[in-house]
Amino acid sequence: MPSTSSYTVGLCALLQLGTALPAPWGSSKWPHHGNGKGDQSGINVQVGPRPYYLVDNMDDGDLKDQLEACSEKPISTSHFSISHRGAPLMFPEHTKQGYIAAARMGAGIIECDVSFTSDRELVCRHSNCDLHYTTNILAKPELAAKCTSPFVPYNPETGEEASAECCTSDITLAEFKSLCGEMEATTYNALNTSEYMGRIGSTPDWRTNMYAYSCADTVSLKEYISLVDSMGLDFTAEAKEPEVPMPFQGDYTQNDFVQQIVDTFTGANIPASRVWLQSFLPRDIYYWLENDPDFGAQAIYLDERGDTSTKAYEKAVASLPRLAAKGVKIVAPDLWQLVAADNATGKIIPSTYATTARDVGLDIITWSFERSGPLESGGGSYYTGINHLINNDGDEYTVIDVIAREIGVIGIFADWPATITYYANCFGL
């Protein structure tokens, strides 16, 4: 059994990864990060064992040697490392605990996907209507009764799956704040709400419920801004496409929604230079460019148009010069759109999307690493087109290297930011 002193030191090290929370939103007790400008003081960034596991798992070669050579290098915050939904590989997404874990892993930019409540307050949630599988709302009868679609159990006779739909717009901000975040999951053969909810339900076996058994704090946009600002980090906020009819309540328009996001940052005295707004809707990007050009200059067009077919992909590539001509500065396709297979050499290379975007002067960000689970079987949809070249977890760094150094992206979203932070520190990004 370890001594009391060694046990205490070990416990403190574990708590630094996010289970111990600094007090209150925006607490001045957070040490300053230096805001990515080279100041090494502040939070003691720790990437944990996963990056080293990935490097060990790589095929032998120059890249593996380079990454191994960085194994004892000090680690610091990098803006190249962008937290996707917090740290949802292990922490409930868009929760205070997940954001802090991401900061501990060196993410220089933290994401809030923005949705709105019935009283038109802004909150961090990946989807307008995901509360039934990312929170405990169904365990609260008074709130479950307000859901767009109440829980319906699995029907073993017909095979009809269990279902529910609960939206942020169904409830007020105060009611939203009473919820606990849970790991994203559902059980489609659930006979009751306890079986259906994520904590007990079908969380993928490569994630964990370890940090979801206590109540993970749901977060408003204002709380997110206060917390991230207190850590000296930067912001990326996505205007989620509403899943309810707009104008909401008859007069709250899409423009009202995206303007409210900007107004919340300006109301908190956050300069536009620290904010990367996002949207899958081109009209949102154009609105910011026209009405809030300082924010529009760093607005990210999330581009998944090429996901549906080869023809759609080619059309998306052909449109990139027009996007640049309209003032769009940054595009963010999912990672598979940026890479292709050179079957003659067995290498992963930049795609036509990547080379075209670069040629027309667009900056590129991509998403989302650490979302596919184990890569031994080809990596799934995020590795479409190169699946046959992916056969071990270490191949993740092979793809990251192509995207980072051959394509020259300016940032990478990850569900476990430590993976990107390690790479970024190794190559000075």
Side-chain angles (χ1 to χ4, degrees), residues 286-324:
Y286 300 143
Y287 177 89
W288 288 321
L289 284 167
E290 181 178 353
N291 295 280
D292 299 283
D294 289 344
F295 284 89
Q298 291 191 157
I300 303 167
Y301 173 42
L302 300 166
D303 189 1
E304 60 180 356
R305 294 171 299 161
D307 286 357
T308 56
S309 67
T310 299
K311 184 176 181 179
Y313 177 84
E314 293 171 349
K315 186 176 180 180
V317 172
S319 76
L320 294 174
R322 292 194 299 275
L323 286 175

Side-chain angles (χ1 to χ4, degrees), residues 77-98:
T77 298
S78 170
H79 278 55
F80 190 78
S81 176
I82 306 174
S83 159
H84 181 242
R85 311 191 201 181
L89 185 63
M90 295 190 184
F91 290 81
E93 64 185 45
H94 291 309
T95 60
K96 180 180 181 182
Q97 289 80 354

Side-chain angles (χ1 to χ4, degrees), residues 48 58-59 89 127 144 187 210 217 239 265 291 355 373 414 419:
M58 293 177 68
D59 298 332
L89 185 63
S127 170
T187 302
M210 180 64 72
D217 298 298
F265 279 102
N291 295 280
T355 56
T419 300

Side-chain angles (χ1 to χ4, degrees), residues 9 46 51 69 75 77 80 88 92 105 139-140 149 163 175 177 179 231 238-239 289 314 327-328 338 410 415 418:
V9 170
Q46 298 185 20
I75 301 289
T77 298
F80 190 78
M105 289 186 277
K140 294 176 171 283
S149 300
S163 65
E175 290 168 335
K177 285 297 299 174
L179 302 177
M231 296 188 292
E238 179 186 339
L289 284 167
E314 293 171 349
V328 176
L338 293 179
I410 62 173
D415 281 22

Side-chain angles (χ1 to χ4, degrees), residues 9 27 46 196 325 391 398 412:
V9 170
S27 168
Q46 298 185 20
Y196 186 80
N391 57 32
T398 303
I412 294 178

Side-chain angles (χ1 to χ4, degrees), residues 319-388:
S319 76
L320 294 174
R322 292 194 299 275
L323 286 175
K326 287 186 174 184
V328 176
K329 305 297 184 185
I330 308 172
V331 290
D334 37 357
L335 68 91
W336 80 265
Q337 293 190 71
L338 293 179
V339 290
D342 182 340
N343 291 318
T345 63
K347 300 291 186 181
I348 297 168
I349 60 174
S351 69
T352 54
Y353 186 111
T355 56
T356 302
R358 188 174 55 197
D359 289 346
V360 300
L362 290 166
D363 284 328
I364 306 171
I365 291 173
T366 194
W367 45 278
S368 294
F369 281 93
E370 299 288 26
R371 194 147 188 87
S372 297
L375 302 187
E376 281 81 359
S377 299
S381 61
Y382 278 104
Y383 295 84
T384 298
I386 59 169
N387 301 109
H388 60 296

Side-chain angles (χ1 to χ4, degrees), residues 18-359:
T19 54
L21 305 180
W25 305 107
S27 168
S28 60
K29 293 181 180 179
W30 273 99
H32 195 265
H33 257 289
N35 205 26
K37 305 302 181 185
D39 181 357
Q40 299 279 325
S41 64
I43 292 175
N44 180 13
V45 174
Q46 298 185 20
V47 294
R50 182 158 177 77
Y52 304 96
Y53 160 77
L54 294 174
V55 174
D56 287 344
N57 198 244
M58 293 177 68
D59 298 332
D60 290 339
D62 291 343
L63 179 59
K64 181 175 183 176
D65 292 343
Q66 290 173 297
L67 289 168
E68 284 181 331
C70 296
S71 63
E72 305 309 316
K73 181 179 180 178
I75 301 289
S76 59
T77 298
S78 170
H79 278 55
F80 190 78
S81 176
I82 306 174
S83 159
H84 181 242
R85 311 191 201 181
L89 185 63
M90 295 190 184
F91 290 81
E93 64 185 45
H94 291 309
T95 60
K96 180 180 181 182
Q97 289 80 354
Y99 291 148
I100 291 170
R104 293 295 191 195
M105 289 186 277
I109 303 173
I110 308 291
E111 181 187 44
C112 168
D113 292 321
V114 186
S115 189
F116 53 84
T117 60
S118 63
D119 50 353
R120 303 184 186 183
E121 296 289 341
L122 301 183
V123 297
C124 298
R125 192 85 340 232
H126 180 253
S127 170
N128 186 198
C129 295
D130 70 2
L131 298 182
H132 51 291
Y133 61 90
T134 63
T135 76
N136 65 338
I137 191 170
L138 294 177
K140 294 176 171 283
E142 71 284 4
L143 298 185
K146 297 184 176 185
C147 288
T148 296
S149 300
F151 172 74
V152 177
Y154 168 71
N155 187 327
E157 294 183 1
T158 64
E160 186 174 354
E161 295 177 340
S163 65
E165 184 176 43
C166 303
C167 306
T168 59
S169 52
D170 292 334
I171 58 176
T172 67
L173 173 62
E175 290 168 335
F176 175 82
K177 285 297 299 174
S178 74
L179 302 177
C180 299
E182 296 188 347
M183 294 300 285
E184 178 187 9
T186 52
T187 302
Y188 292 109
N189 62 351
L191 299 176
N192 54 59
T193 56
S194 294
E195 293 178 354
Y196 186 80
M197 289 187 300
R199 178 162 39 181
I200 303 170
S202 56
T203 300
D205 60 7
W206 42 268
R207 293 181 182 164
T208 179
N209 287 316
M210 180 64 72
Y211 302 110
Y213 280 93
S214 59
C215 184
D217 298 298
T218 51
V219 178
S220 71
L221 180 62
K222 290 178 181 178
E223 289 172 328
Y224 152 84
I225 292 172
S226 179
L227 176 64
V228 174
D229 187 41
S230 75
M231 296 188 292
L233 302 177
D234 285 354
F235 312 84
T236 184
E238 179 186 339
K240 298 305 298 186
E241 184 173 359
E243 297 180 41
V244 296
M246 298 294 279
F248 178 62
Q249 297 174 337
D251 62 346
Y252 184 69
T253 67
Q254 182 72 14
N255 286 351
D256 292 333
F257 171 48
V258 298
Q259 183 63 54
Q260 187 179 355
I261 295 172
V262 172
D263 292 344
T264 305
F265 279 102
T266 57
N269 296 315
I270 304 298
S273 60
R274 293 180 61 195
V275 182
W276 282 261
L277 301 177
Q278 311 170 54
S279 180
F280 282 99
L281 300 177
R283 58 169 288 185
D284 292 346
I285 306 299
Y286 300 143
Y287 177 89
W288 288 321
L289 284 167
E290 181 178 353
N291 295 280
D292 299 283
D294 289 344
F295 284 89
Q298 291 191 157
I300 303 167
Y301 173 42
L302 300 166
D303 189 1
E304 60 180 356
R305 294 171 299 161
D307 286 357
T308 56
S309 67
T310 299
K311 184 176 181 179
Y313 177 84
E314 293 171 349
K315 186 176 180 180
V317 172
S319 76
L320 294 174
R322 292 194 299 275
L323 286 175
K326 287 186 174 184
V328 176
K329 305 297 184 185
I330 308 172
V331 290
D334 37 357
L335 68 91
W336 80 265
Q337 293 190 71
L338 293 179
V339 290
D342 182 340
N343 291 318
T345 63
K347 300 291 186 181
I348 297 168
I349 60 174
S351 69
T352 54
Y353 186 111
T355 56
T356 302
R358 188 174 55 197
D359 289 346

